[in-house]
Amino acid sequence: MKKQILLFLALIMSMMVTAQVTIQMEKEGGVYKVPCIVNGVKMKFIFDTGAATVSMSQTMAQFLLDGDYLSESDIKGIGQSQLADGSIVNHAIINLRDVEIGGMHIHNIDATVIEGQNAPLLLGQSAIQELGRVSIEGSKLIIHSADNELTQQQIDQFEEQAI
């Protein structure tokens, strides 16, 4: 009986281990950039927990559209955004079908396209929240994937089987 309980506990512990992905960010001009692949195009986004959405310039969006990395059906609408300095700018809302970060794929992420050519690429909350729990250690972004965690119901089932 003790052997079964120990085996059960070992099984539970091994299945509750969460996977994690560590990404080396690049420091540029006082900000950290994260390498990503958006709809097949390699980009470097500023990791910005204060930004509500992923954001890019009109020039970058036009590049994606011209290269067939973005389709007209990915354009969702228009709106206005308030920037960190308090100013209001017009934007388009687009759908990014696939964003790859450290080998992890997140899909159908809202992004804003800011008028003008100088808007930086920002990886904001519309993408960050889809990654799950993240932490930063120095210049390393750590994504903690909870996909392997067991539910209470699964634990109860294993316990019944072990007993």
Side-chain angles (χ1 to χ4, degrees):
M1 180 68 170
K2 286 182 183 180
K3 189 175 185 178
Q4 288 176 328
I5 292 172
L6 288 175
L7 182 60
F8 167 72
L9 290 174
L11 176 66
I12 295 296
M13 295 295 280
S14 68
M15 294 183 82
M16 289 182 68
V17 173
T18 57
Q20 72 179 28
V21 175
T22 302
I23 301 165
Q24 182 64 49
M25 296 188 291
E26 298 173 20
K27 191 169 184 177
E28 249 180 62
V31 296
Y32 285 102
K33 293 190 174 184
V34 178
C36 301
I37 301 174
V38 176
N39 294 350
V41 178
K42 290 182 179 181
M43 300 180 181
K44 292 180 184 175
F45 283 83
I46 296 170
F47 189 77
D48 188 350
T49 59
T53 64
V54 171
S55 135
M56 66 180 62
S57 69
Q58 196 171 2
T59 304
M60 179 55 75
Q62 190 64 50
F63 169 80
L64 293 174
L65 193 59
D66 291 345
D68 291 329
Y69 299 105
L70 192 65
S71 69
E72 288 190 26
S73 65
D74 290 320
I75 301 170
K76 297 173 77 173
I78 58 171
Q80 292 187 321
S81 297
Q82 183 173 5
L83 301 179
D85 67 3
S87 62
I88 305 291
V89 295
N90 294 323
H91 71 248
I93 303 165
I94 61 172
N95 175 52
L96 301 178
R97 292 183 306 275
D98 182 61
V99 178
E100 180 182 346
I101 303 169
M104 296 178 64
H105 291 265
I106 52 179
H107 302 283
N108 298 317
I109 303 301
D110 281 349
T112 56
V113 178
I114 306 299
E115 282 184 349
Q117 299 177 5
N118 298 327
L121 291 170
L122 300 178
L123 189 68
Q125 289 296 329
S126 61
I128 294 170
Q129 289 179 356
E130 294 297 316
L131 295 172
R133 189 168 64 89
V134 297
S135 60
I136 298 173
E137 292 181 13
S139 62
K140 293 180 180 164
L141 171 64
I142 302 168
I143 303 168
H144 307 271
S145 173
D147 291 342
N148 296 331
E149 289 187 1
L150 296 174
T151 65
Q152 186 60 48
Q153 182 181 4
Q154 290 170 316
I155 293 170
D156 292 343
Q157 287 174 346
F158 281 126
E159 185 177 13
E160 286 176 23
Q161 290 172 356
I163 292 172

